[in-house]
Amino acid sequence: MKVVTFGEIMLRLAPNGYYRFFQDDQMQATFGGGEANVAVSLANFGFESRYVTKLPTHAIGQAAVNSLRYFGVDTDYIARGGERVGIYYLEKGASQRGSVCIYDRAHSSIQTASKTDFDWNKIFEGADWFHFTGITPALGGDMVEICKEACIAAKNLGVKVSCDLNYRGKLWTREQANKAMTELCKYVDVCISNEEDAKDVFGIEAENTDINSGKLNKDGYKSVAKQLADKFGFQKVAITLRSSISANDNDWAAMLYDGDDYYFSKEYHLHIVDRVGGGDSFGAGLIYSLLSGKSSKDAIEFAVAASALKHSIEGDFNRVTVSEVEKLAAGNGSGRVQR
């Protein structure tokens, strides 16, 4: 199976451990970004994974490309040009202190991209699936139109399209998101959301839920999923369900609506090492499951298990295998040493 993802990969700078910014004089430099994280997960699962973006030709841009090639991701259609790689600074939270993410991505190469940078018919040759997130059109410039061209090309070629709504208030307003995503979601087959995105982008929310208190009304998300599917004609809607006890401890589950029934996964109690990329690992797990022919119930269990494992791994990328995910999905979550 071949999956194409499209978005921005960034340089991630993070203090060691749980230090605050500049409490220590060192930072870890790695790469990550929504759709790049999905591409890496799918490559680790054994799929052909192609990542599309735009990066400068200098050493930092090449290092970003190399970080993807390390995992076997196809980077042949990454456009080159522009002057900078976007940066984000991450301070990991602990206990009642939440994590902090600061973006420095204005005028990055992908934000200066034009329609002529991407030949979508070539990019989608042999592809089975296309994935993007709501972060990509939020980057400004021509990105909404470029995403639309990609979606139209995918649909014309019979390629399934998935989108993680991923609303980012630091990138655009709710009104801008609603206008752009209402247009783009016309082409989407599988929608991924969380307890906040459906409300922020489309004003659709679950009743009797307070995400800040950690109390989620799971049944309320049945209505959210159905409203999204009815509005856009999505074949499937997946909603991740995070109950945040503290920055370190979350309860994690998800629901999948396939137009007929609602499937809730088992719930995992997570002691978090690094939660960035958790949603992306869920999306990758769902794409893998659906393309592999898993049932709706097995698909949501695999996706949640993949994401649960990601929360135990430093960095944006989920460095796990199919067998590891399947063991956890089957109930082996003791964390005992594997000998």
Side-chain angles (χ1 to χ4, degrees):
M1 294 294 181
K2 180 184 288 186
V3 178
V4 176
T5 72
F6 174 56
E8 179 174 30
I9 186 169
M10 293 179 290
L11 175 64
R12 163 177 157 160
L13 298 176
N16 291 309
Y18 293 99
Y19 283 128
R20 305 216 69 182
F21 290 129
F22 298 104
Q23 181 180 353
D24 184 29
D25 62 359
Q26 296 180 347
M27 282 191 172
Q28 300 173 351
T30 55
F31 291 95
E35 299 86 351
N37 300 341
V38 172
V40 168
S41 280
L42 290 168
N44 283 335
F45 292 156
F47 277 6
E48 289 185 63
S49 182
R50 174 173 290 168
Y51 180 66
V52 182
T53 190
K54 186 172 184 178
L55 286 167
T57 57
H58 58 50
I60 308 303
Q62 189 59 44
V65 172
N66 293 345
S67 72
L68 297 164
R69 288 179 175 170
Y70 174 85
F71 294 96
V73 175
D74 179 352
T75 61
D76 289 351
Y77 290 91
I78 291 179
R80 305 305 291 266
E83 298 182 355
R84 70 182 304 249
V85 177
I87 299 170
Y88 84 94
Y89 300 88
L90 176 68
E91 179 185 278
K92 290 200 297 183
S95 190
Q96 279 67 53
R97 174 173 60 84
S99 297
V100 178
C101 181
I102 298 174
Y103 291 127
D104 177 17
R105 65 201 301 180
H107 311 296
S108 64
S109 289
I110 187 67
Q111 294 186 27
T112 66
S114 65
K115 295 178 183 179
T116 57
D117 284 320
F118 310 104
D119 184 340
W120 292 109
N121 287 328
K122 276 192 173 182
I123 290 167
F124 288 132
E125 281 183 6
D128 300 286
W129 198 286
F130 172 55
H131 178 76
F132 72 105
T133 76
I135 297 171
T136 303
L139 295 173
D142 292 333
M143 293 310 297
V144 173
E145 287 303 311
I146 292 172
C147 286
K148 184 176 178 179
E149 284 196 349
C151 288
I152 291 172
K155 298 305 289 184
N156 287 341
L157 293 168
V159 177
K160 291 283 188 183
V161 178
S162 61
C163 177
D164 188 333
L165 294 181
N166 261 354
Y167 175 72
R168 294 292 185 267
K170 293 181 179 180
L171 295 178
W172 58 358
T173 66
R174 288 179 174 83
E175 292 73 22
Q176 290 172 317
N178 180 278
K179 181 180 178 181
M181 298 308 294
T182 296
E183 178 64 24
L184 293 173
C185 280
K186 295 176 183 177
Y187 307 98
V188 171
D189 299 295
V190 178
C191 177
I192 301 168
S193 183
N194 66 18
E195 63 269 19
E196 299 173 81
D197 291 338
K199 177 183 178 181
D200 287 331
V201 179
F202 297 121
I204 297 172
E205 60 182 313
E207 296 180 356
N208 302 318
T209 289
D210 181 356
I211 60 170
N212 293 314
S213 70
K215 297 177 181 179
L216 301 180
N217 172 24
K218 292 182 179 180
D219 286 340
Y221 290 101
K222 292 181 179 180
S223 172
V224 171
K226 190 173 190 307
Q227 288 182 69
L228 286 169
D230 290 348
K231 182 178 178 68
F232 295 104
F234 299 137
Q235 295 174 10
K236 292 180 173 62
V237 178
I239 298 179
T240 56
L241 306 170
R242 184 188 297 273
S243 297
S244 193
I245 300 162
S246 70
N248 297 102
D249 294 283
N250 290 182
D251 289 329
W252 180 245
M255 183 203 75
L256 181 64
Y257 173 59
D258 64 6
D260 295 315
D261 291 307
Y262 304 89
Y263 301 89
F264 284 88
S265 74
K266 64 173 67 73
E267 186 173 74
Y268 294 92
H269 178 71
L270 307 178
H271 187 69
I272 297 170
V273 171
D274 190 335
R275 65 165 285 179
V276 177
D280 305 321
S281 58
F282 171 84
L286 186 66
I287 293 167
Y288 172 83
S289 298
L290 295 176
L291 277 176
S292 298
K294 291 181 182 290
S295 68
S296 294
K297 177 60 176 173
D298 288 343
I300 198 65
E301 292 291 1
F302 185 94
V304 171
S307 183
L309 289 173
K310 165 61 194 75
H311 286 75
S312 73
I313 296 170
E314 293 275 9
D316 274 50
F317 297 155
N318 194 16
R319 299 165 182 257
V320 297
T321 64
V322 169
S323 62
E324 288 175 317
V325 177
E326 288 181 337
K327 282 181 182 178
L328 179 57
N332 184 358
S334 67
R336 293 175 64 87
V337 175
Q338 304 297 310
R339 299 187 190 277

